[in-house]
Amino acid sequence: MEGDTEVTEISETMNDEQVGSVVVENGEPVGIVTDRTVALAVGQEDDVSSLVAEDLMSEDPATVPADTEAYELATEFGDAKVPGCRSSTRTASSRGSSRSTT
């Protein structure tokens, strides 16, 4: 999405693609708009139809290359919430397998 994309198109895209966020780009990622941001704007603004991505986006999103491994994300971002990743604790059993606990 570009910064001047209207909120209605953002919402339609999220619905059509069944995603909870879209990246705003200007040659590179410059922001992110989430479904929560859109929902809050609906509750706070008198006329949401005039809003565009730049009005709603969180700026300067943290990015990593597409081929980044999950363990690298954990090292890079630590305990920060990473969309699409569930928080869990990994424990090793005596046989060397691991399981997730929440």
Side-chain angles (χ1 to χ4, degrees), residues 8-20:
T8 52
E9 184 177 343
I10 293 168
S11 184
E12 288 171 4
T13 299
M14 286 185 195
N15 186 52
D16 292 347
E17 296 184 17
Q18 297 183 346
V19 296

Side-chain angles (χ1 to χ4, degrees), residues 37-60:
T37 307
V38 174
L40 290 173
V42 168
Q44 295 172 350
E45 299 292 326
D46 291 330
D47 181 20
V48 293
S49 65
S50 63
L51 295 176
V52 296
E54 287 179 341
D55 298 327
L56 300 168
M57 72 182 191
S58 297
E59 296 181 357
D60 301 320

Side-chain angles (χ1 to χ4, degrees), residues 37-100:
T37 307
V38 174
L40 290 173
V42 168
Q44 295 172 350
E45 299 292 326
D46 291 330
D47 181 20
V48 293
S49 65
S50 63
L51 295 176
V52 296
E54 287 179 341
D55 298 327
L56 300 168
M57 72 182 191
S58 297
E59 296 181 357
D60 301 320
T63 61
V64 295
D67 61 349
T68 302
E69 298 287 337
Y71 72 89
E72 293 176 281
L73 283 174
T75 301
E76 179 73 23
F77 295 104
D79 291 335
K81 289 184 179 179
V82 178
C85 295
R86 197 172 89 196
S87 176
S88 66
T89 303
R90 303 294 260 171
T91 58
S93 72
S94 60
R95 287 182 249 160
S97 63
S98 62
R99 64 184 176 105
S100 290

